[in-house]
């Protein structure tokens, strides 16, 4: 059965900008989930897992420069999970070195 709902999320990622304004990307990687102690942990699995696909659209890039601090970059992105895996957006962004700001 086809999905009727389209879920759109807005995320702030840390790390080098994912691309220029308006850039689009598609991240596809199999995810596995491990359960333990009442929690679930998801990760990209090269040895299997369920296929997951996430589309990204760069809305803005931010650069923070402050004296006596390391320069930082951030990407504000519109993200749509095309499959519905546990922590899919979080895992896909972290796997390309751009974790959500809340996870960094």
């Amino acid at each position: 059965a086809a999905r009727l709902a389209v879920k759109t999320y807005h995320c702030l990622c840390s790390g080098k900008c994912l691309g220029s304004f308006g850039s689009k990307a598609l991240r596809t990687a199999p995810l596995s989930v491990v359960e333990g102690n009442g929690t679930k942990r998801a990760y990209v699995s090269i040895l299997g897992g369920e296929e997951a696909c996430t589309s990204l659209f760069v809305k803005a890039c931010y650069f923070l420069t402050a004296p006596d601090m390391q320069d930082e970059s951030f990407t504000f992105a519109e993200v749509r999970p095309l499959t519905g895996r546990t922590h899919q957006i979080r895992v896909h962004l972290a796997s390309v070195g751009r974790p959500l700001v809340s996870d960094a």
Side-chain angles (χ1 to χ4, degrees):
R3 289 181 175 245
L4 299 176
V6 175
K7 297 179 181 181
T8 302
Y9 299 87
H10 292 93
C11 304
L12 187 61
C13 313
S14 61
K16 185 179 174 187
C17 195
L18 283 166
S20 59
F21 173 77
S23 296
K24 293 182 181 182
L26 191 63
R27 174 69 172 134
T28 311
L31 304 182
S32 291
V33 176
V34 176
E35 295 185 46
N37 297 331
T39 63
K40 291 182 180 180
R41 179 168 167 78
Y43 61 95
V44 171
S45 174
I46 58 172
L47 298 176
E50 294 187 65
E51 196 58 40
C53 189
T54 305
S55 74
L56 302 133
F57 176 71
V58 176
K59 304 284 272 185
C61 293
Y62 301 99
F63 304 95
L64 175 65
T65 304
D68 302 325
M69 292 182 66
Q70 183 176 353
D71 293 349
E72 294 190 56
S73 301
F74 302 93
T75 302
F76 181 65
E78 181 179 286
V79 182
R80 291 185 180 167
L82 303 179
T83 52
R85 309 289 177 237
T86 301
H87 299 300
Q88 173 177 328
I89 294 170
R90 170 174 275 117
V91 173
H92 275 169
L93 290 171
S95 73
V96 295
R98 308 300 184 274
L100 296 173
V101 168
S102 61
D103 294 346

